[in-house]
Amino acid sequence: MAGVALAAACAAQAQSGRAPLPVAEDGTVEVPAMSAPVSEFLSPEARAYVVEHLLAVAKLDPSAPPSPVPPLIAPYIPRMKARYHTHREDAVIAGVKAYVYTPAGGIAAKNRKRVLINLHGGGFRECFPGCAELESIPIAALMRIKVVSLDYRQGPEYRFPAASEDVAAVYRQLLKTYRPEDIGIYGCSAGGILTGMSLAWFQKQGLPRPGAAGIFCAGGTLASAGFGGDATYTALPLGEARMPPPPAPPGAKALAPPLGYLTGADPTDPLVAPASSPAVLAKFPPTLIITGTRGFEYSSAIYTHEALVKAGVDAELHVWEGLFHGFYYNPDVPESRDAFDVMVRFFDRHLGK
């Protein structure tokens, strides 16, 4: 019956003038220009947020130098601090600069022996402390736990695996105070990629796996132009109002210069893209993946979740309809607060087990 209904729907579309799109021999679909409105499933606040984001992206200067607090996210930091109250201390852990966030009301009794490591976003080139603030403050406040956000080495000055080495050094130091099962690690965008990279690096270094991980606004894959998959051609234009990059040449493996930190890295190396290795994924801790249907990482997030489940890992995938890369940086949007709740419940459920 479902097949009959689908055929009828296709026939109705053809009769209404919606002819099938041209399809090349290799399966490439030629999609003409079209208009894509904001999703009707979003809250009113989120609908306004998507419009605000798209208009702001159009005004960005692509030649602007890296910034500790990129203009696109700067307005959200005071709003995050006003809603969620934390204390922040400077620290140097195993030679790595860090900010340590604790809830203003004190760490919860059950979390005194737990800690989270945050790996900030920023394309491996910027956004400390801006992204660190937006990713650490709400979780520290809501979960009432200590969050250690690392100023790991980035490009273009540094190259892979410098950041993985920094995370491992801090993790080793924390293991002197905390059991591995009481340590969680998470990040958004580049920080989400680095979370997966770090878990693979821990395996290479013979370090015990942490209690739980969060790969947010990212996945465990990389391609010559971004994360790869359908999202490059669907979610990217809708979420960032930008055309997708040109297809990579046949057989291309090395990553493109825009991610300076990863220039020349092999996207099939499990230390760069752990989803390329079922054996590496099988040793991951319980992992939470968060994305949005307009996030250019959308395909990678889905694929990574599929690969983790296939490898026998306790993995969760949460997808927010109509929202873009790093959407939860704005705390005034109900969907962002829903995402925070998912993160808190996940780490609370898995740490210590």
Side-chain angles (χ1 to χ4, degrees):
M1 291 297 292
V4 173
L6 178 59
C10 291
Q13 281 195 349
Q15 291 172 3
S16 66
R18 297 178 183 175
L21 298 175
V23 181
E25 290 296 326
D26 65 354
T28 299
V29 180
E30 298 293 336
V31 181
M34 62 179 181
S35 299
V38 175
S39 173
E40 69 270 28
F41 297 124
L42 293 172
S43 68
E45 295 92 336
R47 288 174 66 85
Y49 178 35
V50 171
V51 174
E52 172 190 288
H53 171 77
L54 291 172
L55 294 176
V57 167
K59 298 176 183 177
L60 290 178
D61 178 3
S63 65
S67 171
V69 183
L72 194 65
I73 68 167
Y76 305 134
I77 295 175
R79 285 141 68 174
M80 190 73 80
K81 291 181 177 179
R83 184 179 287 271
Y84 302 109
H85 302 146
T86 61
H87 299 302
R88 189 187 82 186
E89 297 181 3
D90 290 0
V92 176
I93 304 172
V96 180
K97 179 182 175 182
Y99 282 156
V100 178
Y101 297 85
T102 52
I107 296 173
K110 66 178 178 179
N111 289 330
R112 288 173 186 160
K113 294 183 179 181
R114 294 166 155 184
V115 66
L116 292 174
I117 300 171
N118 167 245
L119 307 177
H120 69 86
F124 290 106
R125 66 189 290 268
E126 62 180 349
C127 214
F128 188 91
C131 290
E133 300 267 74
L134 295 172
E135 297 174 32
S136 302
I137 288 173
I139 306 308
L142 289 168
M143 192 172 174
R144 295 184 59 198
I145 193 171
K146 179 186 291 185
V147 177
V148 180
S149 189
L150 308 186
D151 185 12
Y152 55 84
R153 285 175 289 174
Q154 302 190 85
E157 183 179 0
Y158 299 101
R159 297 284 179 89
F160 169 83
S164 299
E165 292 171 343
D166 288 348
V167 179
V170 172
Y171 184 58
R172 281 195 188 92
Q173 188 65 30
L174 291 177
L175 285 171
K176 297 178 181 179
T177 307
Y178 300 91
R179 300 183 306 167
E181 58 265 35
D182 292 322
I183 302 175
I185 179 170
Y186 73 98
C188 175
S189 191
I193 300 172
L194 182 56
T195 295
M197 289 178 172
S198 297
L199 293 172
W201 193 260
F202 293 171
Q203 294 177 29
K204 176 180 172 64
Q205 298 298 312
L207 295 169
R209 74 178 187 182
I215 297 176
F216 308 151
C217 340
T221 69
L222 286 169
S224 58
F227 288 96
D230 285 350
T232 304
Y233 305 96
T234 56
L236 173 63
L238 291 179
E240 306 300 324
R242 288 188 284 122
M243 290 296 290
K253 283 190 175 182
L255 295 172
L259 281 178
Y261 172 77
L262 293 171
T263 297
D266 183 349
T268 65
D269 181 351
L271 295 176
V272 174
S276 63
S277 171
V280 168
L281 287 185
K283 298 178 183 179
F284 269 37
T287 302
L288 172 64
I289 299 176
I290 286 177
T291 185
T293 59
R294 294 193 178 199
F296 49 80
E297 77 286 347
Y298 182 39
S299 291
S300 180
I302 292 173
Y303 178 81
T304 301
H305 176 256
E306 292 173 353
L308 284 167
V309 171
K310 188 175 181 178
V313 176
D314 184 356
E316 292 184 19
L317 171 66
H318 291 254
V319 181
W320 267 263
E321 160 63 17
L323 289 172
F324 49 85
H325 183 73
F327 69 88
Y328 64 81
Y329 280 2
N330 183 349
D332 297 335
V333 176
E335 287 86 342
S336 297
R337 300 194 293 273
D338 290 343
F340 298 151
D341 289 341
V342 167
M343 297 173 195
V344 167
R345 289 197 301 268
F346 179 83
F347 282 118
D348 187 48
R349 187 164 64 251
H350 288 288
L351 291 185
K353 293 185 178 180

